[in-house]
Amino acid sequence: MDVQKGCIYFSSFYVLAEILAIPAVPILTASSGYLFGTVLGTATCLFSASIAASISFVIGRTFLRFV
């Protein structure tokens, strides 16, 4: 598999797991460095965590505002 496709699949799964608050996120964080190397794994993990935090903020701000 191509490294770019692997990063995209990993990022999408990481974002989904973090939005749903699945407790496997620390394992995914460690495995990103193992799968993609130190630099690319760190970049993938930081990018995915930032996207997940932004999506979670928007969900909390709009949909869960009146609950």
Side-chain angles (χ1 to χ4, degrees):
M1 185 188 314
D2 192 19
V3 176
Q4 293 174 345
K5 286 184 182 179
C7 284
I8 290 171
Y9 291 142
F10 184 84
S11 294
S12 62
F13 185 72
Y14 189 94
V15 167
L16 183 66
E18 193 158 329
I19 288 173
L20 296 176
I22 297 174
V25 173
I27 296 169
L28 288 174
T29 302
S31 66
S32 69
Y34 178 73
L35 291 173
F36 304 117
T38 305
V39 177
L40 186 60
T42 301
T44 303
C45 189
L46 288 175
F47 177 75
S48 302
S50 299
I51 296 297
S54 299
I55 292 172
S56 296
F57 175 77
V58 169
I59 289 171
R61 181 80 173 169
T62 56
F63 297 122
L64 302 176
R65 187 175 197 167
F66 302 110
V67 174

